[in-house]
Amino acid sequence: MRLFFIFTLINIFVPRYAFASTCLVIDKARKTLTVLKDKRPAVKVHVSLGIDPDSDKYKVNDAATPEGLYFITYKKPKSRFHRFLGISYPNLINAIRALMGGVISPEEYKKIYTAIKKSEAVPCDTGLGCGIGIHGGGIYRLFDGVPEADWTEGCVALNDKDIDQIFPLVRPNDTVIILNSRRNLYGVIRPFASIIETDKSGFPVCPDGVCTFETGLKTSMGRMLIKIKEGRDGNRSLKVMVFDENGKGPENEPILVLTDQNADGRIGPGDTATGPLAQGKDPQAIYDLIRKVVIDALHKGDIIRHY
C-alpha cells in the first residue's frame, strides 16, 4: 500500500507544507543552522557536525550526522553539552534503508516501524542507534590542546550562546531539515524520499528487486515530484516532474520532465529533459537549475512531512 503522503499528484503539494510554524534548517555543506519562523529566517548560526561531517548517517557509531526530515522530540535545558534538543532519528526512511542494507534485522525494523506509527520513542537497541540532537558545547573542542571542529558522535553542536538564543524559540514537534547542499540532486533529495509501497506489516515492497521512492516540494519552478529507483544490484535512476502552480489535478501534463538513468547528476546518453520549460534550453543547464531550486526549497522548509 502507498504511504499516506502519496494521495494524488495535486493534493500532495497543497495542504502539507507548514506543518509547524518553526522550522530548523541545517545545511551540512554550509555548516549553518537557520531557524525559520513562519517561513522567514529568524536566527542563523554556525554549527559543528559529526567526526565524519560529509557522510549521511547509516548506522550506530559511524560518527556521521543524519540527513533528512525530522522533528524536535524533547527539550533538555541542562545537559553535559549545556542544552539539548532531541530530534526524531531514526525516522522511517532511515529504518527502511537500513533494513534494505542489512544494517538492521526485520525484527529491529518492526520495532522502529511500530514505535513511529504509535508516535512513541524509537528504540535505541538497533543497528541505527538513537540519541541524536542539537546541543551546545561549542563548534570547536580542544583535543590535546588543539581546537577541532566536527567533533560530535553525530549530533549538531553550537556555541553555548547560540543554543541559548535558539532554545526558547523551539518546541517539540517543530520541523528539522538536515541537508547537504554539496551533493548532486540524487544525493540531496535521497534522504527525503519515502518508499512508495509497503505491505500490510509496513515492510517495503520492491518488485523485481527495484525499490521506488518519492518526495514532493513546492519550488520556484512549480510543484515538483521527484522519484528515485534503486535496485538491489546497485543500479539507480532519478526522475523529476514539474507541474504548473495553477494545475488542477494529476491529469495535467507536467511542464518539465527530467530523467537521469544513473542518477549521476549529468545528462548523458539516454537521459532526457522534455516539456515546455525545456524547449530550446541546454538539458544540463536545466538539470543544474533543478538542483538549485530543490536546495532553495529545502532551505525554505518546503518539503512534505511523510512519516
Side-chain angles (χ1 to χ4, degrees), residues 40-81:
R40 297 184 178 181
V43 178
K44 186 175 183 177
V45 298
H46 292 288
V47 304
S48 194
L49 305 170
I51 295 169
D52 178 356
D54 298 317
S55 301
D56 188 5
K57 190 166 186 63
Y58 182 59
K59 61 182 180 180
V60 67
N61 297 328
D62 63 4
T65 300
E67 299 166 26
L69 179 60
Y70 303 96
F71 59 90
I72 298 294
T73 52
Y74 65 91
K75 297 175 66 173
K76 191 174 182 180
K78 293 183 180 180
S79 81
R80 82 185 158 112
F81 297 120

Side-chain angles (χ1 to χ4, degrees), residues 78-96:
K78 293 183 180 180
S79 81
R80 82 185 158 112
F81 297 120
H82 190 53
R83 301 187 192 279
F84 195 97
L85 298 168
I87 68 170
S88 57
Y89 170 87
N91 63 22
L92 195 54
I93 295 174
N94 299 135
I96 286 173

Side-chain angles (χ1 to χ4, degrees), residues 10 32 54 56 59-60 72 99 150 216 221 227 234 253 260 263:
I10 254 310
T32 58
D54 298 317
D56 188 5
K59 61 182 180 180
V60 67
I72 298 294
L99 175 68
D150 299 329
M221 296 179 74
K227 179 180 293 187
E253 291 296 320
D260 182 355

Side-chain angles (χ1 to χ4, degrees), residues 72-301:
I72 298 294
T73 52
Y74 65 91
K75 297 175 66 173
K76 191 174 182 180
K78 293 183 180 180
S79 81
R80 82 185 158 112
F81 297 120
H82 190 53
R83 301 187 192 279
F84 195 97
L85 298 168
I87 68 170
S88 57
Y89 170 87
N91 63 22
L92 195 54
I93 295 174
N94 299 135
I96 286 173
R97 294 197 180 280
L99 175 68
M100 293 166 54
V103 173
I104 60 175
S105 66
E107 292 75 21
E108 290 176 310
Y109 173 80
K110 189 62 178 179
K111 287 199 299 183
I112 295 172
Y113 175 86
T114 301
I116 290 173
K117 290 303 178 182
K118 291 182 176 180
S119 298
E120 297 175 350
V122 176
C124 292
D125 59 343
T126 75
L128 283 170
C130 68
I132 299 297
I134 302 164
H135 58 67
I139 59 174
Y140 292 97
R141 299 282 279 185
L142 289 177
F143 294 93
D144 296 325
V146 178
E148 293 186 13
D150 299 329
W151 54 270
T152 78
E153 296 179 3
C155 292
V156 178
L158 284 64
N159 287 325
D160 287 351
K161 65 179 180 62
D162 292 331
I163 193 73
D164 285 342
Q165 183 181 14
I166 289 171
F167 200 80
L169 302 178
V170 177
R171 297 176 298 178
N173 295 319
D174 283 344
T175 307
V176 180
I177 291 173
I178 308 177
L179 72 144
N180 188 335
S181 62
R182 188 178 295 113
R183 304 193 193 284
N184 65 15
L185 179 60
Y186 167 80
V188 168
I189 207 65
R190 186 177 187 262
F192 300 92
S194 289
I195 193 98
I196 67 165
E197 190 174 3
T198 60
D199 64 20
K200 293 181 179 180
S201 298
F203 284 83
V205 175
C206 301
D208 300 320
V210 178
C211 302
T212 303
F213 304 82
E214 289 183 354
T215 195
L217 307 92
K218 180 178 180 180
T219 76
S220 59
M221 296 179 74
R223 300 186 317 277
M224 190 176 290
L225 181 67
I226 302 178
K227 179 180 293 187
I228 291 171
K229 290 190 175 183
E230 297 181 357
R232 289 175 180 158
D233 57 1
N235 290 331
R236 62 194 188 190
S237 66
L238 180 144
K239 182 177 183 179
V240 182
M241 292 178 285
V242 182
F243 295 83
D244 190 283
E245 281 293 335
N246 298 316
K248 300 298 183 183
E251 70 277 6
N252 285 46
E253 291 296 320
I255 57 177
L256 174 64
V257 178
L258 181 140
T259 61
D260 182 355
Q261 297 297 331
N262 61 0
D264 67 348
R266 295 186 296 273
I267 296 292
D271 299 334
T272 59
T274 60
L277 281 186
Q279 290 181 0
K281 298 178 182 177
D282 174 52
Q284 187 61 54
I286 290 290
Y287 200 165
D288 294 341
L289 177 61
I290 290 173
R291 176 182 174 276
K292 179 181 182 302
V293 299
V294 164
I295 291 170
D296 289 345
L298 291 172
H299 280 153
K300 295 175 182 177

